[in-house]
Structures are given as C-alpha cells and as structure tokens.
Amino acid sequence: MTRAICPGSFDPPTVGHLDVFGRAAALFDEVTVAVLVNPSKTGMFDIPERLELLEAVTSGWRNIRIDSFSGLLVDYCANRGITTIVKGLRGVADFDYEIQMAQMNRKLTGVDTLFLPTAPEHAFVSSSLVKLVASEGGDVSAFLPPVVLAALASRLPPGTS
Ligand code: PNS
C-alpha cells in the first residue's frame, strides 16, 4: 500500500489545497491530510474546525483521511508508514522554502517529497490572502469550497463577505 501525506495549516482549506489533495489521491493508495497543531499560532479557525472543514471537503474521496499532528512531520510519517510528502508549488517563492524542508526531511528519515505544480488558475490563491480579501469585504467565493466559504462568512462581521 502506498501512503502519502499532505501537511499544512489549512486555515482555511482553499480550492488550491483541494486540487492537490485530489491529485495526490489519484497517485497513492492512501492520503492523509494532516493539520499542524502549532500552539504558538492562533488561526482564524481552531484545529477541530479545520478538521471538520477538511472532512467535509474531502468526503468524496474514499482514500483520503484527515488528522492533526504536532512535533516533527517526519516522525508522524515514520510512525504511520507514510513514505511521501505531497506539496503543491505555486511558484519560485514556494520552491525556495519548500526545497529546504524537503531536503531536511529526507536527510532526517529518508521520507521523500513530491511537488505538484498547482493548477495555473490557483497559482495566486493562499489561505492568508483569502482571509485578507474577505476581511475587507472582497468576494472570495472563487477561492474556497462552498462549505468553507460559509464558515468564513459566519466568522466575519455582516457585510464583509
Ligand atoms: O501550510 P503551511 O503552514 O505552509 O504548512 C507548513 C508545514 C505544516 C507543512 C510545515 O511547517 C511542517 O511540516 N511543520 C511540522 C514541523 C516540522 O517537521 N518542521 C521541520 C520541517 S524541515
């Protein structure tokens, strides 16, 4: 059985994340989407909310499971027989950061990283930009799965989404 992981903050999950999850699910027998628990960083959505949103947006894939983790990603992978980390790359800025983590992770335990180029129509979509635009009243409906859009709208003051 081939096992991969899509790790991230997912605060909140976007259509770009969803595209990568689906492509990973077509390549591997089992894909874990795992939310990093970072106690020093509070997000817009807490961890249980993010897990709930991820469960909802991935319910159409039978081979995607949702989890959270803390500590080193490589330890989580080693404990669960996960051999490959799958990451979406939007461009060179992502690459500069991601290549270092990929090389460090491979050096630590041998876990490899597979980079998937994001679909061009999602190249500029990030959770942080979506939150920024939404908080100023911009229309972010093209960038979020409907269930996430609804959750975000309920979080913002009336009139801002
Ligand atoms: O969505 P993000 O915030 O870009 O995701 C980053 C994430 C969670 C994939 C990365 O920070 C990570 O793997 N953190 C776990 C801790 C760890 O293993 N750090 C060492 C990386 S070399």
Side-chain angles (χ1 to χ4, degrees), residues 31-54:
V31 173
T32 300
V33 174
V35 183
L36 172 67
V37 179
N38 183 350
S40 64
K41 230 169 118 182
T42 52
M44 173 175 271
F45 296 95
D46 64 25
I47 301 295
E49 288 169 328
R50 288 182 224 177
L51 294 175
E52 203 176 309
L53 291 173
L54 285 167

Side-chain angles (χ1 to χ4, degrees), residues 46-82:
D46 64 25
I47 301 295
E49 288 169 328
R50 288 182 224 177
L51 294 175
E52 203 176 309
L53 291 173
L54 285 167
E55 292 279 4
V57 300
T58 60
S59 62
W61 285 282
R62 283 190 303 118
N63 62 335
I64 295 184
R65 53 185 294 277
I66 307 301
D67 201 2
S68 60
F69 74 104
S70 52
L72 286 179
L73 176 60
V74 291
D75 290 337
Y76 181 91
C77 293
N79 290 335
R80 285 161 182 81
I82 294 170

